[in-house]
């Protein structure tokens, strides 16, 4: 009877469980931030190295300053135009966040509809994939024609781009639940709403958040593209204007601020992820997140 | 367990057949299965892998609809998922975002049991199954065997009149398994619960059950229903050493055939 020596715990195995069970579990904002601080030094070091290369290129004048401004020059531009850069950052951040929130709302609604209706699923999913093939950036000029130079067309472009990863990750996540888990819910007398709120939705969170992280970075891209096409505000516009004036220092400054915005928004989503599902992040501590 | 006045039937499976429609072919999982389980009875189901044991339990819970025949649970025909049962699934099926304790209390929360009662029952069950000290652990921090114990606690929390268990101790080591068997025997005697247990272990089936249902290879049919009477089940080693135990396990192994025995 091989089951008598089946895998699983032994007397010592239980002791080991005792050890693992003590390890970090519930996470406060403090512990998450501490974790980042301890994980963050490697990428920071790499960043410093890149900064050094950049400085070296300008120091030995490998490229003329009007093409590649030095780090010092770029930094001076940033600190000399704090109001200008800040105001435009706020605009781009607003567009990005509005688009992101809307993409989460609509993306989740669409995912739920696809999971609960075979008809919607069979109709919408192929369309979604098709829509993903269409370069949505190419629609930006059209939106400007239709909606003018306000913030709406930028939000719309960013929303359109961010929507796809949300809906796909939401759909995959909501379907990822083990059917046996839903059987369990049935034996507990759960109705459809309870099954969704207590079982299906929490089970979808790991997938969903990986989609959200992609979506938030895409939303930044979408907002900037929207600004490129037609606007007089936002970091995208700053880049265009700087480009027109061959003010590469300002262009570099705007790029850096823009990257910082993207990183901050990404980390914000990750922070929420770690707070919402501490159980999951402890499992796959080492895994790398893709951010297209 | 000695002669009792006739009890009404808790589970009645009447000429049940189940066919699964898959892309490649139709699978007949069960064929003309008829069993009656009396109230408070302990019945085990043994049979080769894929013979429909899990399907049989799910039928009783109303999670799978029969293609033919009918099922009655506690006097009521089973037509939709039933909640007047406790179910221990083959996989522990724990909610990985809840702690051990909150996985167990979920059962009571879903049923809107009073908070104090949920807490009391949970503490009792955690103590009984040896999970004390792991209340706040997350499922992924537990071994398979411990996860299965959490699942057992969850199934028992609301003191269900019928307990359905699908290979609950498959992931346990031999020692813990024996302990859990004695424990389950005690729970069964105390709670007056009807138990249907699917197991791969012939010894476990014989030790725990009043009757053992032996099933054939797929399509699953009932080969034989063997009554078991052991002299003293409260003493595990004595029960296992008895002549009756030896005779019953031998007979079941014979029915299953040496080839089909998994264990
Ligand atoms: N939902 C399902 N869809 C299709 N086939 C299934 C389904 N559930 C079980 N089966 C098939 O029915 C047979 C019996 O399954 P099961 O009851 O799980 O067997 P056991 O628990 O005895 O190993 C198997 O051949 C299995 O592949
Ligand atoms: Mg099975």
């Amino acid at each position: 009877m091989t089951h008598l020596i089946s895998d699983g715990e032994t007397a010592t195995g239980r002791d080991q469980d005792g050890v693992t069970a003590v390890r970090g579990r519930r996470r406060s904002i403090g512990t998450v931030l501490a974790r980042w601080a301890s994980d963050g030094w490697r990428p920071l070091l790499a960043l410093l190295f890149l900064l050094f290369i950049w400085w070296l290129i300008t120091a030995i004048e490998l490229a003329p300053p009007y093409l590649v401004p030095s780090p010092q020059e770029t930094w001076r531009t940033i600190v000399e135009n704090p109001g200008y850069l800040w105001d435009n950052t706020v605009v781009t951040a607003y567009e990005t966040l509005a688009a992101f929130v809307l993409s989460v709302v609509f993306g989740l609604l669409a995912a739920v509809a696809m999971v609960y209706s075979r008809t919607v699923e069979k109709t919408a999913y192929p369309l979604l994939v098709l829509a993903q093939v269409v370069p949505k950036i190419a629609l930006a000029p059209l939106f400007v024609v239709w909606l003018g130079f306000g913030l709406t067309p930028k939000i719309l472009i960013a929303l359109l781009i961010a929507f796809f990863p949300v809906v796909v990750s939401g759909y995959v996540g909501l379907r990822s639940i083990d059917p046996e888990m839903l059987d369990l819910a049935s034996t507990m007398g759960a109705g459809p709403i309870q099954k969704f709120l207590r079982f299906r939705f929490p089970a979808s969170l790991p997938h969903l958040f990986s989609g959200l992280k992609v979506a938030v970075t895409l939303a930044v891209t979408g907002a900037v593209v929207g600004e490129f096409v037609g606007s007089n505000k936002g970091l995208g516009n700053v880049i265009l204007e700087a480009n027109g004036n061959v003010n590469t220092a300002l262009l570099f400054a705007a790029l850096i601020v823009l990257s910082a915005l993207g990183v901050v928004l990404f980390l914000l989503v990750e922070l929420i992820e770690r707070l919402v599902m501490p159980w999951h992040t402890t499992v796959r501590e080492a895994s790398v997140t893709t951010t297209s | 367990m000695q002669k009792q006045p006739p009890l009404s039937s808790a589970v009645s499976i009447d000429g049940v057949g189940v066919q699964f429609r898959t892309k490649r072919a139709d699978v007949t999982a069960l064929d003309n299965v008829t069993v009656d389980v009396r109230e408070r009875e302990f019945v085990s189901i043994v049979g080769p892998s894929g013979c429909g044991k899990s399907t049989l339990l799910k039928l009783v819970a109303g999670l799978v609809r029969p293609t033919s025949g009918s099922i009655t649970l506690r006097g009521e025909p089973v037509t939709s998922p039933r909640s007047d049962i406790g179910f221990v699934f083959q996989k522990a099926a724990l909610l990985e975002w809840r702690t051990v304790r909150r996985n167990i209390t979920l059962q009571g929360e879903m049923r809107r049991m009073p908070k104090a009662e949920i807490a009391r029952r949970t503490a009792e069950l955690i103590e009984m199954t040896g999970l004390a000290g792991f209340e706040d652990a997350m499922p992924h921090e537990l071994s398979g065997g411990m996860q299965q114990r959490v699942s057992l606690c969850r199934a028992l929390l609301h003191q269900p009149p019928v307990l359905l268990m699908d290979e609950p101790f498959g992931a346990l080591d031999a020692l813990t398994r024996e302990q859990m068997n004695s424990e389950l025997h005690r729970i069964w005697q105390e709670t007056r619960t009807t138990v249907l247990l699917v197991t791969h272990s012939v010894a476990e089936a014989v030790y725990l059950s009043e009757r053992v249902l032996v099933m054939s290879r797929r399509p699953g049919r009932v080969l034989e229903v063997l009554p078991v009477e052991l002299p003293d089940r409260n003493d595990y080693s004595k029960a296992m050493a008895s002549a009756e135990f030896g005779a019953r396990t031998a007979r079941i192994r014979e029915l299953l055939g040496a080839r089909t025995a998994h264990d």
Side-chain angles (χ1 to χ4, degrees):
Chain A
M1 295 199 298
T2 48
H3 75 263
L4 288 178
I5 44 168
S6 63
D7 57 341
E9 68 205 345
T10 58
T12 50
R14 280 168 78 176
D15 288 337
Q16 280 159 8
D17 283 336
V19 176
T20 52
V22 180
R23 246 199 304 114
R25 189 175 307 129
R26 288 274 156 234
R27 294 179 161 228
S28 64
I29 286 198
T31 58
V32 173
L33 293 181
R35 164 122 236 144
W36 276 349
S38 72
D39 285 352
W41 67 270
R42 266 173 250 264
L44 270 182
L45 208 66
L47 221 56
L48 280 177
F49 180 68
L50 285 178
L51 202 63
F52 171 74
I53 300 277
W54 176 15
W55 171 81
L56 202 66
I57 289 173
T58 55
I60 60 174
E61 295 197 3
L62 209 64
Y66 67 89
L67 287 186
V68 181
S70 68
Q72 312 90 288
E73 175 73 27
T74 308
W75 178 248
R76 207 173 308 124
T77 313
I78 292 179
V79 292
E80 275 169 10
N81 302 288
Y84 176 65
L85 282 173
W86 175 252
D87 290 347
N88 285 294
T89 306
V90 168
V91 171
T92 306
Y94 171 79
E95 291 162 357
T96 305
L97 273 178
F100 177 65
V101 169
L102 288 174
S103 75
V104 173
V105 171
F106 290 123
L108 270 183
L109 284 177
V112 169
M114 288 202 303
V115 168
Y116 281 96
S117 158
R118 286 292 285 160
T119 322
V120 173
E121 183 191 15
K122 294 214 153 169
T123 320
Y125 204 75
L127 281 181
L128 262 175
V129 175
L130 190 73
Q132 187 54 13
V133 177
V134 176
K136 285 173 289 295
I137 287 173
L139 295 174
L142 196 60
F143 287 159
V144 174
V145 173
W146 285 346
L147 301 163
F149 284 82
L151 298 184
T152 323
K154 287 97 187 169
I155 294 173
L156 206 59
I157 281 292
L159 164 62
L160 227 54
I161 297 178
F163 176 76
F164 188 74
V166 176
V167 75
V168 171
S169 62
Y171 170 76
V172 173
L174 289 172
R175 290 198 48 161
S176 72
I177 190 166
D178 187 341
E180 209 139 81
M181 203 74 100
L182 294 175
D183 279 350
L184 169 78
S186 292
T187 70
M188 293 177 162
I193 292 174
Q194 277 184 314
K195 273 186 190 167
F196 180 81
L197 292 178
R198 300 255 197 167
F199 294 84
R200 213 187 256 281
F201 183 66
S204 78
L205 288 177
H207 283 280
L208 182 64
F209 266 101
S210 63
L212 293 189
K213 283 189 265 184
V214 174
V216 81
T217 52
L218 287 182
V220 178
T221 311
V224 170
V225 165
E227 288 167 358
F228 277 175
V229 173
S231 93
N232 45 23
K233 277 189 291 217
L235 288 171
N237 183 57
V238 172
I239 291 172
L240 271 195
E241 280 187 0
N243 201 39
N245 304 333
V246 204
N247 185 350
T248 42
L250 182 59
L251 202 155
F252 268 60
L255 269 178
I256 285 168
V257 174
L258 190 59
S259 309
L261 175 65
V263 169
V264 166
L265 290 176
F266 179 86
L267 289 180
L268 208 63
V269 176
E270 187 156 75
L271 178 69
I272 295 170
E273 177 189 32
R274 284 180 183 241
L275 292 176
V276 169
M277 9 177 261
W279 83 88
H280 194 255
T281 39
T282 53
V283 185
R284 39 153 212 107
E285 206 72 271
S287 81
V288 178
T289 333
T290 47
T291 63
S292 62
Chain B
M1 277 178 315
Q2 299 315 314
K3 288 280 164 273
Q4 287 167 340
L7 294 164
S8 49
S9 113
V11 180
S12 166
I13 298 165
D14 190 11
V16 162
V18 174
Q19 266 160 357
F20 287 112
R21 204 148 263 178
T22 59
K23 276 192 189 113
R24 259 179 278 139
D26 285 5
V27 177
T28 304
L30 290 172
D31 183 29
N32 194 23
V33 173
T34 300
V35 198
D36 241 31
V37 181
R38 294 185 308 272
E39 227 162 76
R40 191 169 157 39
E41 193 177 15
F42 198 123
V43 174
S44 288
I45 302 159
V46 295
S49 232
C51 75
K53 304 180 295 293
S54 298
T55 306
L56 195 62
L57 286 195
K58 287 185 180 172
L59 278 166
V60 175
L63 300 170
V64 171
R65 306 291 313 132
T67 315
S68 57
S70 65
I71 298 122
T72 312
L73 176 65
R74 305 175 67 231
E76 270 178 70
V78 177
T79 52
S80 57
R82 293 285 287 263
S83 57
D84 51 347
I85 51 156
F87 206 124
V88 180
F89 289 89
Q90 197 166 345
K91 287 173 271 172
L94 298 181
L95 284 63
E96 61 169 346
W97 53 92
R98 282 178 165 242
T99 60
V100 164
R101 184 190 282 108
R102 292 192 4 100
N103 259 287
I104 300 171
T105 57
L106 178 70
Q107 181 77 266
E109 289 163 28
M110 299 295 285
R111 293 165 188 275
R112 292 179 202 210
M113 284 164 58
K115 278 215 170 65
E117 197 194 336
I118 297 176
R120 184 182 56 78
R121 286 284 300 155
T122 305
E124 259 175 42
L125 289 164
I126 283 177
E127 190 56 47
M128 189 190 78
T129 50
L131 286 169
F134 293 92
E135 292 90 340
D136 298 316
M138 300 306 281
H140 75 261
E141 295 170 318
L142 303 181
S143 69
M146 298 184 87
Q147 293 184 1
Q148 201 53 276
R149 280 186 256 169
V150 178
S151 169
L152 179 64
C153 291
R154 182 178 60 191
L156 288 170
L157 185 97
H158 54 301
Q159 296 179 296
V162 175
L163 181 60
L164 307 170
M165 297 199 276
D166 197 348
E167 300 185 29
F169 307 135
L172 295 186
D173 67 284
L175 264 176
T176 318
R177 189 168 190 157
E178 287 181 9
Q179 277 168 16
M180 290 304 293
N181 281 349
S182 304
E183 207 53 64
L184 181 59
H185 177 65
R186 201 180 58 72
I187 294 167
W188 171 63
Q189 284 187 313
E190 280 176 10
T191 55
R192 311 185 56 82
T193 297
T194 308
V195 181
L196 260 172
L197 170 81
V198 169
T199 176
H200 264 144
S201 160
V202 175
E204 183 172 283
V206 173
Y207 167 66
L208 286 166
S209 321
E210 293 177 295
R211 286 191 295 159
V212 178
L213 191 125
V214 185
M215 291 180 66
S216 70
R217 278 175 177 285
R218 206 178 67 206
R221 296 195 186 88
V222 180
L223 282 181
E224 202 167 315
V225 185
L226 289 101
V228 180
E229 256 180 58
L230 295 186
D232 186 7
R233 288 186 208 251
N234 292 329
D235 185 335
Y236 187 82
S237 32
K238 212 159 139 193
M240 299 288 271
S242 67
E244 167 82 2
F245 180 87
R248 281 311 176 207
T249 48
R251 173 66 185 139
I252 292 169
R253 291 224 164 84
E254 187 187 323
L255 280 168
L256 291 173
R259 293 163 293 112
T260 57
H262 290 267
D263 41 358

